[in-house]
Amino acid sequence: MELLQSRMVEKLPRYEQVRYAIQQRLIAQTWGIDEAIPNEQELADEYQVSVGTIRKAIDLLVADGLLVKQQGKGTFVRYPDFASSLIRFFRHRDTSGQPLIPVGIVHQVQEIPTGDARINEALQRPSTAPLIYIERTRNLQQRIFVSEKIWLPKEAFQALLTIPLAEFDNLLYPMYRRVCSQLIVSAKEQLSFLAQHQDAYLSTQQPETMVKICRYAYGLDGRVLEYRESYGRAAEFYYETVIH
Amino acid sequence: MELLQSRMVEKLPRYEQVRYAIQQRLIAQTWGIDEAIPNEQELADEYQVSVGTIRKAIDLLVADGLLVKQQGKGTFVRYPDFASSLIRFFRHRDTSGQPLIPVGIVHQVQEIPTGDARINEALQRPSTAPLIYIERTRNLQQRIFVSEKIWLPKEAFQALLTIPLAEFDNLLYPMYRRVCSQLIVSAKEQLSFLAQHQDAYLSTQQPETMVKICRYAYGLDGRVLEYRESYGRAAEFYYETVIH
DNA sequence: AAGTGGTCTAGACCACAAC
DNA sequence: TTGTGGTCTAGACCACTTC
């Protein structure tokens, strides 16, 4: 397998090999978030290729959202902000139409020692592997507009169990990195509707149609680090996209 | 304005100038759909730039979905297929999970001589400009799952008024191009929900929750050539996306 | 064999940022 | 002034498609 892999790598263009090598260094956290990586000439010398080849490799990593380039300053490790998450498409605007920034509140963190088959399948783990379960809401001026259920592999995230609910950050992914050294770099989201659904946190008088968003969040190595189900009122959802 | 534009173009990088020039030739339909454009060396000679600069310009047009490159064969004018349209995310699969190809049926084509203010605003036209209105459904094995209302500027599309309903193609955009010489290259889609909506074509016993997709379809010059509202049952909708 | 795009190089010069 | 990424060049050679 090792040999097969190296044979495969040998057949790839050099810019793909370099891209792979740099990505491995990102996984190993050789450079920190928002830190400049070596400049193009240094990388060219190091990998024994021309600057143009380095540029092509870096452009691919930029397109993947792992790096950002800034003219005159350098190339930096990117901090993913998930600006295109479907969650952002609930209509939370103030009276002047400005988007408002929601507050994330953690209501519950608990261990599930014997796991859950459905969740562990989503996380690509054995069906009885232990989990951590979090209930969280996103609020806007005291009003809950999104209810979230989050599951994490216990081994990598058990440091979260020692943290009081009130000390959870507004943003979870930076916290995963700081507390558990787990970096989320991309995610897949699936949207569907639930007729007549009722959620404990979304104070509906009666069941109504809800949007359900399932998110699989991935680390740099492609493994699923978090599975999340978010619920919100369908009437408040609005999504826009461009197609070609 | 002409001068301003040329001044602006002068300050752009050459690959942007070349990209603009080639895009103008695409608008003028210098080359047809699926036809190869001149090879990279010819374009380099013609625009007096190096092959690398031509490649960069072409790569941008490829990223925009206007061209496709095929190694060993050439670079071709792309026919947009709108594979990522939200419409495709209704659950139309057969029992084995394979996606099924829906049939588009046109039920009505009529002229609206005095226009409609809301629609003309969507089409970026004067509020009383004349329109063409089309009602169409997408069917799967006799069952209607999407109902569409389509509005077009009358001037550019009046050839459609002479065509019998039964002779409308399954795909409208290739037909727009063939019959009216209007090429759709991109679109913006907005998704929202309608609680308790009822549509004449979607044979619901009672009002139910629907998905409404508003599409603004653009030509190569960026103008809105078609405004379309599509309706489907919310319970049958499922969308997936990747974020970074 | 001829023609196309794909990879890779080495180097010049420009534009922007920081000191 | 120095260092960074951005633009542009000219040319060699490779891989794929077609005849």
Side-chain angles (χ1 to χ4, degrees):
Chain A
M1 188 59 191
E2 191 74 33
L3 187 58
L4 179 64
Q5 179 114 9
S6 65
R7 268 185 197 154
M8 286 168 63
V9 170
E10 274 164 27
K11 295 183 71 92
L12 291 173
R14 292 210 195 166
Y15 65 81
E16 285 287 3
Q17 296 178 36
V18 171
R19 163 211 169 94
Y20 180 78
I22 295 177
Q23 185 160 341
Q24 289 306 116
R25 291 173 73 174
L26 289 170
I27 292 173
Q29 306 202 21
T30 309
W31 312 291
I33 293 287
D34 281 338
E35 184 181 339
I37 70 172
N39 70 40
E40 295 174 343
Q41 189 58 59
E42 283 173 328
L43 289 170
D45 294 343
E46 182 179 345
Y47 290 107
Q48 293 288 295
V49 296
S50 75
V51 174
T53 301
I54 290 290
R55 287 181 63 81
K56 181 135 189 173
I58 288 180
D59 285 347
L60 291 172
L61 292 167
V62 168
D64 269 3
L66 268 42
L67 296 175
V68 286
K69 296 203 275 190
Q70 288 178 255
Q71 185 175 19
K73 296 177 71 175
T75 300
F76 299 82
V77 182
R78 176 168 174 267
Y79 190 85
D81 62 358
F82 289 75
S84 65
S85 167
L86 292 171
I87 293 290
R88 307 233 173 167
F89 291 93
F90 284 95
R91 307 173 202 256
H92 34 80
R93 324 229 165 241
D94 65 14
T95 47
S96 68
Q98 291 299 304
L100 293 166
I101 295 163
V103 179
I105 295 182
V106 172
H107 297 262
Q108 185 188 137
V109 178
Q110 72 177 69
E111 196 181 334
I112 305 180
T114 57
D116 177 296
R118 181 178 71 92
I119 304 301
N120 272 317
E121 186 179 348
L123 289 168
Q124 301 170 351
R125 284 150 51 82
S127 63
T128 59
L131 298 167
I132 291 173
Y133 173 68
I134 300 175
E135 288 190 355
R136 180 173 180 258
T137 58
R138 292 176 190 238
N139 302 10
L140 216 50
Q141 298 167 329
Q142 325 305 334
R143 181 171 177 276
I144 294 175
F145 72 96
V146 169
S147 168
E148 300 186 320
K149 326 292 178 194
I150 300 169
W151 291 268
L152 303 161
K154 188 195 163 199
E155 311 82 62
F157 290 91
Q158 53 191 344
L160 292 179
L161 293 169
T162 66
I163 295 179
L165 293 187
E167 289 176 23
F168 272 75
D169 293 348
N170 192 28
L171 296 174
L172 290 185
Y173 292 171
M175 191 175 171
Y176 290 170
R177 179 169 175 275
R178 184 169 49 78
V179 177
C180 312
S181 298
Q182 300 292 327
L183 181 60
I184 305 286
V185 296
S186 69
K188 176 177 74 179
E189 294 192 330
Q190 300 170 335
L191 182 150
S192 59
F193 295 99
L194 300 175
Q196 309 294 308
H197 183 76
Q198 203 160 14
D199 185 276
Y201 291 100
L202 292 164
S203 55
T204 46
Q205 301 291 353
Q206 54 198 13
E208 61 181 307
T209 304
M210 307 277 267
V211 171
K212 176 186 182 183
I213 296 168
C214 300
R215 176 193 291 179
Y216 304 77
Y218 302 92
L220 261 168
D221 58 1
R223 287 189 308 168
V224 183
L225 295 181
E226 180 207 62
Y227 174 67
R228 182 186 295 208
E229 295 181 350
S230 304
Y231 299 84
R233 296 175 190 89
E236 297 173 9
F237 187 79
Y238 171 84
Y239 180 62
E240 180 171 305
T241 186
V242 171
I243 58 179
H244 288 283
Chain B
M1 188 58 191
E2 190 74 34
L3 187 57
L4 179 65
Q5 180 115 9
S6 64
R7 269 185 197 154
M8 288 168 61
V9 170
E10 273 166 25
K11 296 184 70 95
L12 291 172
R14 292 209 194 165
Y15 66 81
E16 284 287 3
Q17 296 178 35
V18 171
R19 164 212 169 95
Y20 179 79
I22 295 177
Q23 185 160 341
Q24 288 307 116
R25 292 174 72 174
L26 289 170
I27 292 173
Q29 308 204 19
T30 309
W31 312 292
I33 293 286
D34 281 338
E35 183 180 340
I37 71 173
N39 70 40
E40 296 173 344
Q41 189 57 60
E42 282 173 328
L43 289 170
D45 295 343
E46 180 179 346
Y47 290 107
Q48 293 288 294
V49 296
S50 74
V51 174
T53 301
I54 290 291
R55 286 181 64 82
K56 181 136 190 174
I58 287 179
D59 284 347
L60 290 173
L61 292 166
V62 168
D64 269 3
L66 268 42
L67 296 176
V68 286
K69 296 204 277 191
Q70 287 179 256
Q71 187 176 13
K73 296 178 72 176
T75 301
F76 299 81
V77 182
R78 175 169 174 265
Y79 189 84
D81 62 359
F82 288 75
S84 66
S85 168
L86 292 172
I87 294 291
R88 307 231 174 169
F89 292 94
F90 284 95
R91 307 173 202 256
H92 35 81
R93 323 225 165 240
D94 65 14
T95 48
S96 67
Q98 291 299 304
L100 293 167
I101 295 163
V103 178
I105 296 183
V106 172
H107 297 263
Q108 186 188 136
V109 178
Q110 71 176 69
E111 195 180 337
I112 306 181
T114 58
D116 176 299
R118 180 177 73 91
I119 304 301
N120 272 316
E121 187 179 345
L123 290 168
Q124 300 169 350
R125 284 150 51 84
S127 63
T128 58
L131 298 167
I132 291 173
Y133 173 68
I134 300 176
E135 287 190 354
R136 181 172 179 260
T137 58
R138 292 177 190 238
N139 302 11
L140 216 50
Q141 297 165 329
Q142 325 305 334
R143 181 171 176 275
I144 294 175
F145 72 97
V146 169
S147 168
E148 299 186 320
K149 326 293 177 191
I150 300 169
W151 291 269
L152 303 161
K154 188 196 162 199
E155 311 82 60
F157 290 90
Q158 54 190 341
L160 292 179
L161 293 169
T162 66
I163 296 179
L165 294 186
E167 290 177 22
F168 272 75
D169 293 349
N170 192 27
L171 296 174
L172 289 186
Y173 292 171
M175 192 175 171
Y176 290 169
R177 178 172 175 275
R178 183 169 48 78
V179 177
C180 312
S181 299
Q182 300 293 326
L183 180 61
I184 305 287
V185 297
S186 70
K188 175 177 73 179
E189 293 191 330
Q190 300 169 335
L191 181 148
S192 59
F193 295 93
L194 299 175
Q196 309 294 308
H197 181 77
Q198 203 161 15
D199 184 277
Y201 292 101
L202 292 162
S203 55
T204 46
Q205 302 290 351
Q206 54 198 15
E208 62 180 307
T209 306
M210 307 276 268
V211 171
K212 175 186 182 184
I213 296 168
C214 300
R215 176 192 290 179
Y216 304 77
Y218 301 92
L220 262 168
D221 58 1
R223 288 189 306 169
V224 183
L225 294 182
E226 179 206 63
Y227 174 68
R228 182 186 296 206
E229 295 180 351
S230 303
Y231 299 84
R233 297 177 189 88
E236 296 174 8
F237 188 80
Y238 172 84
Y239 180 62
E240 179 170 306
T241 186
V242 172
I243 59 180
H244 290 284

